C-alpha cells in the first residue's frame, strides 16, 4: 500500500478530522516506520508498518484506539536488525576476549591491567583454540559472531545448534587437534631439551629435536588434551529463562536446554571434564530471565556436581520496561480486555510458563518488546497474536512449534 493511502487509512480508523492532529501523529509514525518498524521480517508481502498499524487499531473499539496508539508511541521497545547486529559485533571483543583475559590473569597471577602481557601468553592463545561456540536457536547469529571475531573463531569451533551429533563432534575435535599441533603456543612434551639446545647456541640440534618430536605419533596424553575447555552458548533473547532451565515439579526433574547441554558435555568426548568453563552469552535478556537462569542453573549444576554456568548479557531489560508497573488505567484496560485476545493462543508451550492465559505473554512477563525477526511470546498478546487468531497482533509472531 502506498504511504499516502496508508496514512489516510490510519486517519480514518482513528477518526482524525483535525489537520493539526494528523500532523502531530503521522510524521512521528512515519519516522518510526522508516527508521525501524518497516523492517519487521514477519509482515506479510507488500505490507508495511503504517498499514499494519491501521488494521491493528481497527480491531479496537473506538474509545480504546487512543490508548492502543499511545502504547505504541510511548511503551513499545523495538530491537532492530541493525541493533542486534551491533550487539553481536561487540560480543567477541567486549565479552568473550575479556573473559579469556580474566582467566589467564587468574591462572598466571598477572594483573589484569597488563593486557599486552596476558594476550602474548601461550595460555591465552591456547584458550582461543580450545573455545567451543554453540548456538541455542536460529537467532544466535553464529555466522555473524564468527565474522566479527576477525578470523579468531574458525568454522571448526562454531556450530549453529547445541545438539551435536557424533560425527560433527569428531570433526571438531580432529580440527582442534590439528590446530593445537600447528600452534607454536601449545606446549609440546620434551621441550626442555629443545630450549637447552637453543640456549647453548646449537640451533641445528634444536631443529633436529623439533623435527623428531613432530614426526612422533601423538601420545595418549596429547590426544586427551585435544578437547575444548571453554564453552560459549549463544542466543539472541531471553524473556523468562524457562526455556533454558526449569524444574518440573510433576516429574521432579530439571528440564531445558542447559540440562541437555551439560549432559552432552559430560559424555567426556568434547570437553575436558576435569577443567572447563561454560558461559551463556545472551545479546538481550530481561532481569527476570537472568535471575531465573542463575538461580535454577546453580541448583542444577551443584546437585549434579557440574561446573557452574556463568551468565553474560550485553543488554539487560530492567523490570521497569515491563507492563506490570506504572501502567495507565486505559492501557491496563485494553491489555486485560478479553475482546482483544484469542484463547486459542494458549497452548501446552505457553502453559509451561505457569500461567492460564497468554494475554500477558509467556510466564506473565508482560513485555512490550519486539525483535526485528520475530516478536517474543514473552511480550503481551496484543503485539504478537498470529494473523490466524481472532485478534491479530501489531507484529504477528511465527511460532517455533507446529500445531497439529
Amino acid at each position: 500500500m502506498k504511504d499516502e493511502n496508508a496514512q489516510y487509512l490510519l486517519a480514518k480508523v482513528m477518526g482524525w478530522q483535525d489537520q493539526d492532529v494528523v500532523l502531530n501523529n503521522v510524521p512521528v509514525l512515519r519516522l518510526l516506520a522508516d527508521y525501524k518498524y518497516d523492517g519487521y521480517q514477519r509482515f506479510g508481502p507488500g505490507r508495511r508498518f503504517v498499514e499494519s498499524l491501521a488494521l491493528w487499531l481497527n480491531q479496537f473499539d473506538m474509545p480504546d484506539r487512543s490508548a492502543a496508539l499511545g502504547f505504541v508511541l510511548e511503551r513499545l521497545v523495538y530491537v532492530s536488525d541493525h541493533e542486534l547486529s551491533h550487539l553481536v559485533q561487540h560480543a567477541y571483543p567486549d565479552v568473550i576476549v575479556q573473559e579469556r583475559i580474566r582467566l589467564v590473569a587468574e591462572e598466571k597471577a598477572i594483573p589484569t591491567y597488563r593486557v599486552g602481557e596476558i594476550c602474548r601468553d601461550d595460555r591465552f592463545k591456547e584458550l582461543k583454540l580450545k573455545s567451543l561456540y554453540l548456538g541455542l536457536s536460529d537467532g544466535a547469529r553464529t555466522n555473524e559472531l564468527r565474522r566479527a571475531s576477525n578470523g579468531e573463531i574458525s568454522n571448526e569451533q562454531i556450530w549453529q545448534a547445541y545438539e551435536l551429533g557424533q560425527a560433527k563432534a569428531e570433526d571438531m575435535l580432529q580440527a582442534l587437534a590439528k590446530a593445537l599441533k600447528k600452534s607454536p603456543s601449545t606446549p609440546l612434551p620434551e621441550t626442555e631439551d629443545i630450549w637447552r639446545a637453543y640456549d647453548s647456541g646449537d640451533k641445528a640440534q634444536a631443529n633436529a629435536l623439533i623435527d623428531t618430536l613432530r614426526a612422533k605419533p601423538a601420545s595418549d596424553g596429547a590426544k586427551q588434551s585435544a578437547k575444548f575447555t571453554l564453552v560459549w552458548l549463544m542466543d539472541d533473547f531471553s524473556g523468562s529463562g524457562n526455556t533454558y532451565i526449569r524444574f518440573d515439579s510433576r516429574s521432579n526433574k530439571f528440564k531445558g536446554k542447559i540440562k541437555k547441554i551439560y549432559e552432552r558435555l559430560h559424555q567426556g568426548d568434547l570437553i575436558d571434564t576435569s577443567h572447563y568453563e561454560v558461559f551463556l552469552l545472551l545479546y538481550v535478556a530481561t532481569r527476570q530471565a537472568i535471575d531465573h537462569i542463575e538461580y535454577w542453573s546453580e541448583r542444577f549444576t551443584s546437585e549434579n556436581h557440574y561446573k557452574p554456568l556463568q551468565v553474560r548479557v550485553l543488554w539487560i531489560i530492567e523490570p521497569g520496561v515491563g507492563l506490570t508497573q506504572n501502567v495507565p488505567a486505559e492501557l491496563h484496560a485494553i491489555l486485560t480486555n478479553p475482546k482483544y485476545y484469542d484463547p486459542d493462543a494458549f497452548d501446552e508451550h505457553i502453559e509451561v510458563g505457569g500461567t492460564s492465559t497468554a494475554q500477558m505473554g509467556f510466564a506473565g512477563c508482560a513485555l512490550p518488546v519486539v525483535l526485528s525477526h520475530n516478536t517474543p511470546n514473552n511480550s503481551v498478546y496484543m503485539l504478537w497474536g498470529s494473523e490466524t487468531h481472532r485478534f491479530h497482533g501489531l507484529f504477528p509472531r511465527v511460532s517455533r512449534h507446529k500445531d497439529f
Side-chain angles (χ1 to χ4, degrees):
M1 181 178 287
K2 291 185 178 180
D3 291 346
E4 295 80 6
N5 292 339
Q7 292 167 16
Y8 171 78
L9 175 61
L10 178 61
K12 184 176 181 180
V13 167
M14 292 300 298
W16 291 333
Q17 303 295 329
D18 192 332
Q19 185 68 13
D20 290 339
V21 178
V22 175
L23 293 176
N24 285 338
N25 287 278
V26 170
V28 175
L29 292 168
R30 185 68 267 156
L31 176 63
L32 290 171
D34 290 342
Y35 182 63
K36 282 192 174 185
Y37 301 160
D38 278 349
Y40 185 63
Q41 298 171 18
R42 302 302 180 186
F43 281 147
R47 182 179 294 187
R48 302 174 76 181
F49 171 69
V50 174
E51 176 192 1
S52 181
L53 176 64
L55 297 174
W56 178 70
L57 290 168
N58 194 51
Q59 300 174 106
F60 293 91
D61 295 338
M62 181 60 78
D64 293 332
R65 294 178 187 176
S66 178
L69 180 61
F71 163 59
V72 174
L73 290 172
E74 299 167 14
R75 300 297 293 263
L76 180 64
V77 177
Y78 185 100
V79 184
S80 70
D81 183 73
H82 177 75
E83 288 167 330
L84 270 176
S85 291
H86 181 72
L87 292 174
V88 176
Q89 290 164 13
H90 280 271
Y92 187 77
D94 291 352
V95 179
I96 296 172
V97 172
Q98 298 306 313
E99 288 296 334
R100 203 156 66 232
I101 290 173
R102 178 185 63 81
L103 290 169
V104 174
E106 291 175 357
E107 287 183 15
K108 298 299 184 75
I110 304 173
T112 54
Y113 63 82
R114 293 166 66 174
V115 176
E117 180 180 350
I118 294 171
C119 293
R120 288 190 298 270
D121 193 282
D122 289 347
R123 178 61 171 161
F124 182 82
K125 298 171 185 177
E126 182 185 3
L127 286 178
K128 179 179 72 174
L129 296 174
K130 289 189 172 184
S131 294
L132 175 66
Y133 304 88
L134 302 176
L136 298 186
S137 74
D138 55 4
R141 300 186 176 220
T142 51
N143 285 336
E144 285 188 47
L145 178 71
R146 181 180 57 79
R147 291 192 293 268
S149 73
N150 292 319
E152 294 197 355
I153 300 177
S154 70
N155 281 323
E156 291 75 21
Q157 290 177 271
I158 196 164
W159 190 241
Q160 65 269 24
Y162 62 93
E163 295 175 318
L164 279 173
Q166 187 64 32
K168 180 60 182 176
E170 289 178 359
D171 289 345
M172 298 179 94
L173 290 171
Q174 288 175 7
L176 174 61
K178 290 179 181 178
L180 291 172
K181 187 175 181 180
K182 292 178 181 178
S183 174
S185 65
T186 304
L188 295 172
E190 306 168 13
T191 53
E192 290 185 6
D193 291 339
I194 298 172
W195 288 117
R196 274 196 289 268
Y198 270 120
D199 291 339
S200 65
D202 192 347
K203 292 185 178 180
Q205 175 65 13
N207 289 333
L209 288 169
I210 291 173
D211 290 339
T212 301
L213 185 60
R214 285 177 172 168
K216 289 175 62 177
S219 65
D220 291 340
K223 292 177 181 177
Q224 187 69 15
S225 66
K227 293 185 179 182
F228 296 102
T229 55
L230 297 184
V231 181
W232 286 93
L233 311 174
M234 321 295 299
D235 214 348
D236 59 343
F237 176 80
S238 179
S240 67
N242 283 42
T243 302
Y244 299 99
I245 187 74
R246 63 185 183 277
F247 185 76
D248 185 358
S249 57
R250 288 176 293 186
S251 62
N252 202 36
K253 294 180 180 178
F254 285 97
K255 293 186 176 182
K257 296 178 180 180
I258 299 300
K259 173 182 180 292
K260 294 178 181 178
I261 290 166
Y262 267 91
E263 290 174 346
R264 174 64 185 88
L265 295 177
H266 274 263
Q267 291 179 16
D269 56 337
L270 272 172
I271 66 166
D272 179 357
T273 55
S274 65
H275 182 72
Y276 69 96
E277 304 279 347
V278 182
F279 296 89
L280 172 62
L281 177 52
L282 301 169
Y283 307 136
V284 183
T286 65
R287 182 67 64 182
Q288 175 183 343
I290 297 169
D291 292 343
H292 175 95
I293 295 169
E294 289 182 337
Y295 175 78
W296 287 108
S297 66
E298 194 280 331
R299 285 193 55 179
F300 167 70
T301 54
S302 62
E303 288 181 15
N304 290 277
H305 308 290
Y306 297 151
K307 290 290 291 291
L309 176 74
Q310 302 179 61
V311 182
R312 302 291 183 267
V313 181
L314 285 163
W315 179 43
I316 300 174
I317 299 176
E318 299 294 349
V321 174
L323 301 172
T324 57
Q325 50 185 287
N326 301 322
V327 179
E330 299 82 7
L331 176 56
H332 183 267
I334 62 173
L335 288 172
T336 56
N337 192 328
K339 293 171 64 177
Y340 311 138
Y341 172 65
D342 189 339
D344 288 343
F346 183 81
D347 57 21
E348 62 188 80
H349 308 292
I350 297 290
E351 188 178 10
V352 170
T355 62
S356 58
T357 174
Q359 206 159 9
M360 301 304 284
F362 181 83
C365 292
L367 297 177
V369 175
V370 176
L371 305 180
S372 61
H373 62 280
N374 211 11
T375 305
N377 61 4
N378 305 95
S379 292
V380 293
Y381 171 83
M382 285 198 319
L383 284 177
W384 58 261
S386 168
E387 291 179 330
T388 61
H389 289 146
R390 187 180 65 199
F391 184 99
H392 66 80
L394 176 57
F395 296 96
R397 165 183 171 80
V398 174
S399 175
R400 293 188 299 110
H401 305 286
K402 184 73 174 177
D403 294 329
F404 293 100

